[in-house]
Amino acid sequence: MMDNRVVNPSALAGIRVLDISRILGGPFCGQVLGDHGADVLKIEPPQGDDTRTWGPPFQDGVASYYMGLNRNKRVQRLDFASEAGRAQLLALMEQADVLVENFKTGTMEKWGIGYAQMAARFPRLIWCRVSGFGSDGPLGAQPGYDAAIQAMSGLMSINGQADGEPLRVGLPVVDMVTGLNAVIGVLLALQARERTGQGQLVEAALYDSGLSLLHPHAANWFMSGKTPQRTGNAHPNIYPYDTVNTANGPIFLAVGNDRQFATLCTVLGHPEWAEQAEFATNGARSTHRVQLKALLSEALADADAQQMAQTLMDHGVPAAPVQDVPQALSHPHTAHRAMVVSMGSYRGLGAPVKLSKTPASYRYAPLHPGEQFLEAGADDMGPESSA
């Protein structure tokens, strides 16, 4: 696989970020900012970020979990409980544009380096705080983890089979969306600073982010008053928007309008279905989904999932075979979209946002050491290394 490292031409080149966060939401924010050119210094506690131990698998004693969140950063360790550690942090704050942290509310204040204590001293600094519930309110300052927020925000209640138990989404979706919301907040604050010259506090809470993911279930409840229920792989408002079994595995049909449904029926050899009152409109199909799924299952029972999905896509009907992770990451289109990045022994997911003039750049594999920000205009390529 080709080496994707390039000289930094990216959108945030020249922006200096102190990433003093741990675990997922904050580090993911820092990685996205780094991918788009920011000079990111990651500062870990003396024992290192907790996710260094979240394995197996491990490489040179560091877990894959850590490796997936800490690219394009230069790393050092400081003890903020010590006077020397705080002095080094303050010196870096003086130079930074953005600080990302996710300490429990009160911890940095105890050390005398919280946002309220530092805002006047560093008025241009954008302070991004990632937390579980925010710093105030009935649950303010309480610890929050992804799965607990999935449970509390209602996400688990609508995830899983209709006749099964509430189910956690199989990836840390709340943590990752919180990290993306933190990135959005930082970019908004940088834009505002262009006008005002002033930094500000950016808050990204897991609780808020979990609730923000409830579309269309929240919209449905606001309008109908009916408690949303689990529907398995099926969409609550659209049908067929569901998996159907074939001869060699499930296929997902994502039919979003009547024209696509009519085309699906024609491809399957049953154009008459689109004329039946029970299936002629999305509302009717959604109401009669059990009957329709039985027909689709029979029609697709002998089909090849990959071939049928391609045939439907060729006819303008969104469909896909259900692939596992290795299949997805090895797909030719994944390579075409540069969604796997390689730097030496490191491989990771690429940046999903593609900019035509200021693309993402990959400059540092995880664990690259660094103690100071780069000099203005310096080439930030540097050799691969470990910390």
Side-chain angles (χ1 to χ4, degrees), residues 105-357:
T105 300
T107 300
M108 295 190 74
E109 288 75 11
K110 177 186 67 177
W111 292 327
I113 52 175
Y115 171 71
Q117 295 154 312
M118 296 290 101
R121 181 169 177 176
F122 306 118
R124 288 180 53 82
L125 180 64
I126 293 163
W127 189 294
C128 179
R129 176 183 296 153
V130 176
S131 67
F133 295 93
S135 58
D136 53 18
L139 296 175
Q142 296 296 312
Y145 275 75
D146 178 274
I149 302 298
Q150 286 197 37
M152 192 169 189
S153 66
L155 290 175
M156 282 180 59
S157 77
I158 47 85
N159 189 54
Q161 293 301 324
D163 57 354
E165 296 182 351
L167 193 66
R168 179 183 71 86
V169 179
L171 51 85
V173 60
V174 174
D175 273 333
M176 297 186 72
V177 168
T178 304
L180 292 176
N181 286 338
V183 171
I184 293 169
V186 166
L187 298 180
L188 293 171
L190 285 168
Q191 178 65 24
R193 194 179 70 175
E194 286 294 303
R195 292 197 317 271
T196 67
Q198 297 294 304
Q200 60 184 296
L201 176 64
V202 173
E203 283 197 293
L206 273 67
Y207 186 72
D208 301 350
S209 295
L211 292 172
S212 76
L213 289 170
L214 287 175
H215 187 78
H217 305 283
N220 291 346
W221 181 75
F222 287 140
M223 183 173 290
S224 72
K226 295 180 180 179
T227 301
Q229 303 295 313
R230 291 180 293 284
T231 55
N233 288 323
H235 195 286
N237 296 56
I238 310 169
Y239 209 83
Y241 203 97
D242 197 359
T243 51
V244 180
N245 287 327
T246 71
N248 59 353
I251 185 174
F252 196 96
L253 304 176
V255 177
N257 57 51
D258 297 341
R259 177 185 53 78
Q260 290 175 353
F261 180 67
T263 304
L264 169 67
C265 296
T266 299
V267 170
L268 296 182
H270 292 279
E272 72 277 6
W273 290 349
E275 303 300 323
Q276 294 180 217
E278 305 98 302
F279 309 140
T281 66
N282 175 71
R285 291 192 296 275
S286 192
T287 299
H288 297 92
R289 61 179 57 201
V290 174
Q291 178 184 351
L292 179 53
K293 183 163 186 177
L295 293 173
L296 292 170
S297 296
E298 183 178 358
L300 289 164
D302 296 326
D304 177 275
Q306 292 274 356
Q307 292 177 2
M308 178 56 70
Q310 189 60 58
T311 297
L312 290 171
M313 289 284 281
D314 290 343
H315 284 80
V317 179
V322 178
Q323 299 187 142
D324 61 24
V325 172
Q327 288 173 321
L329 295 181
S330 302
H331 196 283
H333 200 67
T334 301
H336 176 75
R337 297 296 298 171
M339 283 305 298
V340 172
V341 175
S342 178
M343 289 186 281
S345 62
Y346 163 82
R347 287 198 301 164
L349 294 173
V353 177
K354 315 297 187 186
L355 298 172
S356 63
K357 294 184 179 179

